[in-house]
Amino acid sequence: MEQDLREMFKKEREQIHTIKTDHEERFLKKLQESLPEEKKPTRMWLKIAASIAVLFSIGFGYLYLNDNNDNSPVVVESTPDEDNKSEFTFGDLSPDLKKVESYYVANINLELAKLEVSPDTKELIDSFMEQLNNLNLEYKTLNNELKELGPNDQTITALIENLQLRLQLLQKLKRKLTELKLSKNEQIIDNSI
């Protein structure tokens, strides 16, 4: 049973292991068959759903705000895509930046749709809408700068910060409205006691 390892290695070297000439081709063929084909994920339904959500939120905000006021103008947020189709957007730069922009725009529109306007809160909402409109104009200016000068870190950062400021402004408005509602409820309770 004992075998000399040197003898075993010598016999092994003597045996010629040949690789068939089409080995690489067969390997590549099997590799391609085993790997799934790369397909770009079609997210058309997601784009359609986002567009519908934006349209509904803008339409709802417009109808709701117009029903509760005395025909005074109210600023309703619109996305850069709706204002000018030729604008340079984040989607032209990178899909990741487009996701960031879409996230903020969707949240801004959601917050706008959730606003409850009443005669008591109309002045507060109008003042916040004016600030929101100023931020929207600044966003358009930055977007034009991005289009004219090309993408740079400062402009992209300023655009993202503008979107963040708009969302924060709407969240602050929501908190103020909640505080106002709670203080009125407390006054009603105090008066009834």
Side-chain angles (χ1 to χ4, degrees), residues 84-88 92 147:
N84 187 355
K85 296 290 181 190
S86 66
E87 280 188 359
F88 197 78
D92 297 333
K147 184 178 179 181

Side-chain angles (χ1 to χ4, degrees), residues 15-112:
Q15 295 176 350
I16 300 174
H17 293 286
T18 58
I19 296 177
K20 296 181 181 178
T21 55
D22 63 340
H23 169 74
E24 185 176 353
E25 293 170 5
R26 288 184 299 127
F27 174 75
L28 291 175
K29 183 179 176 184
K30 285 183 181 181
L31 184 63
Q32 286 177 348
E33 288 173 0
S34 67
L35 292 176
E37 291 183 27
E38 288 187 30
K39 293 182 181 178
K40 291 184 178 180
T42 55
R43 295 184 179 147
M44 184 58 84
W45 63 271
L46 188 58
K47 292 178 183 177
I48 292 171
S51 300
I52 290 171
V54 167
L55 291 175
F56 274 124
S57 64
I58 290 173
F60 177 74
Y62 178 76
L63 289 175
Y64 188 73
L65 292 175
N66 279 342
D67 286 344
N68 290 330
N69 66 14
D70 52 356
N71 293 332
S72 62
V74 175
V75 178
V76 176
E77 173 63 22
S78 62
T79 61
D81 294 338
E82 295 168 350
D83 293 338
N84 187 355
K85 296 290 181 190
S86 66
E87 280 188 359
F88 197 78
T89 63
F90 283 159
D92 297 333
L93 298 176
S94 154
D96 291 334
L97 288 174
K98 180 64 178 173
K99 287 179 187 177
V100 170
E101 181 182 36
S102 297
Y103 168 79
Y104 281 111
V105 169
N107 280 324
I108 289 168
N109 288 327
L110 182 65
E111 292 295 328
L112 279 171

Side-chain angles (χ1 to χ4, degrees), residues 88-90 93 101 104 138-144 146 153-166:
F88 197 78
T89 63
F90 283 159
L93 298 176
E101 181 182 36
Y104 281 111
E138 182 183 333
Y139 186 86
K140 288 178 184 178
T141 304
L142 289 168
N143 207 341
N144 287 334
L146 182 68
D153 288 341
Q154 290 119 351
T155 307
I156 292 171
T157 302
L159 283 166
I160 292 172
E161 286 175 355
N162 182 287
L163 290 169
Q164 289 172 340
L165 283 173
R166 285 196 265 174

